[in-house]
Amino acid sequence: MNEKAVQINADGIDTDKLMKEIIAAVESKRNDGAYNDPRIARAERMNLSNIKDDEQFSKIYMECLKDSVYVDINDFDIVEKRSSCAVLLLALKKVIWKLLKFYTYRLWSQQNQVNGLLLGAFETIENRYSARLKSLESRLAKLEEKKNN
């Protein structure tokens, strides 16, 4: 990490010390497993603008698509944090969720099916074009070798 990338122009602030503390805290959290959350890993992989190698880009992009292709339509715990009327609000939220789930479940199921089909098609096309490109590069290398001999 480039410590000189951060500049703080305020009296009494030791930028070097602050950056060292931040780096140490991040390293400590990384060692403790705080950044093992799949959402963090996905965000790291999504930083595709920094990838220069086309083969690496395609591989990582395909992994990102596979990780996020499906809409999560599972149930989740409904909680109410306000103490006043908590039982009534919780019951109302559960009824609203059941109505919404009834309405949206089929829609999301169909969307998941379309997403899966599109991912499969994209992956097949990517694999075919990668194989074709490698074949053409090999043929070109052989032709250049014959030409040079």
Side-chain angles (χ1 to χ4, degrees):
M1 182 172 186
N2 185 357
E3 292 183 27
K4 300 300 178 187
V6 175
Q7 294 182 354
I8 301 174
N9 296 318
D11 293 334
I13 302 293
D14 184 357
T15 307
D16 291 332
K17 181 181 175 190
L18 183 61
M19 286 305 298
K20 286 176 184 173
E21 289 174 7
I22 291 171
I23 291 168
V26 168
E27 191 61 34
S28 173
K29 287 181 180 184
R30 181 177 284 128
N31 291 338
D32 291 343
Y35 300 131
N36 292 340
D37 188 322
R39 292 172 293 184
I40 294 171
R42 186 178 314 134
E44 290 247 346
R45 287 192 310 268
M46 293 289 243
N47 191 4
L48 298 173
S49 60
N50 293 330
I51 300 172
K52 305 296 183 217
D53 180 22
D54 287 341
E55 202 167 309
Q56 185 185 16
F57 175 86
S58 295
K59 180 183 175 207
I60 292 174
Y61 191 74
M62 193 63 66
E63 288 176 17
C64 290
L65 284 174
K66 287 177 183 178
D67 287 345
S68 60
V69 69
Y70 297 109
V71 176
D72 182 9
I73 56 176
N74 295 316
D75 279 335
F76 58 92
D77 290 332
I78 299 173
V79 295
E80 177 55 48
K81 295 178 182 175
R82 295 171 281 199
S83 59
S84 62
C85 304
V87 175
L88 182 62
L89 287 172
L90 187 61
L92 179 63
K93 286 181 180 183
K94 287 183 178 184
V95 169
I96 291 171
W97 171 243
K98 286 180 183 179
L99 291 171
L100 288 172
K101 188 170 117 175
F102 172 77
Y103 177 72
T104 59
Y105 184 80
R106 182 179 165 123
L107 173 76
W108 293 128
S109 297
Q110 290 172 341
Q111 185 64 55
N112 282 341
Q113 185 178 19
V114 169
N115 291 353
L117 291 170
L118 288 172
L119 175 63
F122 180 72
E123 189 171 21
T124 300
I125 290 169
E126 172 65 24
N127 290 338
R128 285 182 183 170
Y129 281 127
S130 292
R132 181 156 171 80
L133 181 61
K134 286 178 184 176
S135 170
L136 291 172
E137 287 174 344
S138 173
R139 285 177 58 195
L140 181 61
K142 288 177 185 176
L143 287 172
E144 287 177 345
E145 186 179 308
K146 283 182 183 180
K147 181 182 174 185
N148 290 335
N149 289 333

